Amino acid sequence: GRAAAFAHDGRKVTVELPRRLSRGQTCQVRLEHAVTRPVAGLYFTNPDSAYPGRFRTVWSQGQDEDSRYYFPCLDAPNFKQSTEALLYVPKGLFALSNGERLEHRRGATRTEDLWHYRLDLPYSTYLFSVVVGEFAEHRERADGVEVRWYVQRGREKEGRNAFGSTGKILRFLAQFTGHPYPHGQYTQIAVPDFVFGGMENFTVTT
């Protein structure tokens, strides 16, 4: 409930607690943080003179220790966290993150819409995902799972070719393994200039 002294060396934040804690005791620390030009972790694609038709997007890629460059976190593959993301984006743009979409509020501010997501099951920090842009959406249900995929508008045919069998694959894997997909939704999204072929972000594959 009050400010704490801290040091930041460019890689780690060290917080000086107001009192010593015993083993097993917990406390809550809130970090207020801003970044404008992350060197990794979060990427922006925009049209330019060489590529005037480039799709305008924002997307993240955290594997395996790059999430730390755009938000404070314990960034190691063996550390697990739950997440909640409140994404304020320019009006009319779509925003995606892990887990269940709790809210989409148009005009949350004068110039922005709010997209609110939460995933309560702890998962590796590098599998946290953010994507923003203008996308065409497809959705269906497969054995109670909401299956969604998103592609650049005008590329819906390629989206069907790439993702159209996702529901059938989920059903097959559930039958073959005897374990149904454990979440209420599974989403795939295609972005330009991605640094890998794809990324298995938790519940939201890029």
Side-chain angles (χ1 to χ4, degrees):
R2 60 183 185 273
F6 71 94
H8 183 218
D9 66 3
R11 285 184 57 83
K12 290 184 178 179
V13 176
T14 304
V15 178
E16 186 177 318
L17 299 179
R19 59 185 175 82
R20 184 183 297 274
L21 297 181
S22 302
R23 183 183 296 275
Q25 274 189 299
T26 61
C27 70
Q28 191 174 68
V29 176
R30 186 178 81 183
L31 298 180
E32 295 186 9
H33 168 76
V35 61
T36 55
R37 291 180 176 270
V39 298
L42 195 65
Y43 300 85
F44 298 79
T45 64
N46 286 295
D48 57 28
S49 57
Y51 299 97
R54 178 182 279 150
F55 185 32
R56 187 188 308 273
T57 57
V58 180
W59 46 264
S60 63
Q61 167 49 39
Q63 189 177 15
D64 50 2
E65 293 180 341
D66 283 355
S67 293
R68 69 182 72 186
Y69 293 109
Y70 72 102
F71 72 96
C73 58
L74 297 175
D75 196 14
N78 61 330
F79 178 77
K80 310 297 180 187
Q81 64 178 15
S82 58
T83 56
E84 185 169 10
L86 286 83
L87 306 173
Y88 289 87
V89 303
K91 283 184 178 180
L93 293 183
F94 168 75
L96 177 68
S97 191
N98 309 70
E100 180 184 1
R101 183 192 304 168
L102 300 179
E103 181 183 12
H104 171 212
R105 196 188 329 154
R106 290 181 171 86
T109 73
R110 190 168 55 83
T111 59
E112 297 169 320
D113 293 345
L114 166 66
W115 298 79
H116 182 186
Y117 293 87
R118 187 173 67 213
L119 183 52
D120 292 328
L121 181 69
Y123 63 100
S124 295
T125 309
Y126 77 93
L127 296 174
F128 177 70
S129 177
V130 172
V131 181
V132 178
E134 291 184 337
F135 292 92
E137 179 188 68
H138 170 85
R139 63 171 63 199
E140 63 182 275
R141 294 197 75 79
D143 295 341
V145 177
E146 184 171 328
V147 176
R148 297 191 295 253
W149 50 260
Y150 297 88
V151 294
Q152 183 177 347
R153 289 178 186 165
R155 304 191 71 171
E156 292 86 344
K157 181 178 179 182
E158 290 141 290
R160 283 190 295 273
N161 289 340
F163 306 129
S165 296
T166 303
K168 293 178 183 177
I169 293 168
L170 284 178
R171 288 189 191 97
F172 167 76
L173 288 172
Q175 293 166 2
F176 185 77
T177 64
H179 296 279
Y181 179 74
H183 305 287
Q185 65 288 316
Y186 176 61
T187 303
Q188 295 170 106
I189 192 161
V191 300
D193 301 335
F194 197 62
V195 291
F196 298 123
M199 186 61 210
E200 68 281 7
N201 297 314
F202 213 62
T203 73
V204 284
T205 296
T206 303

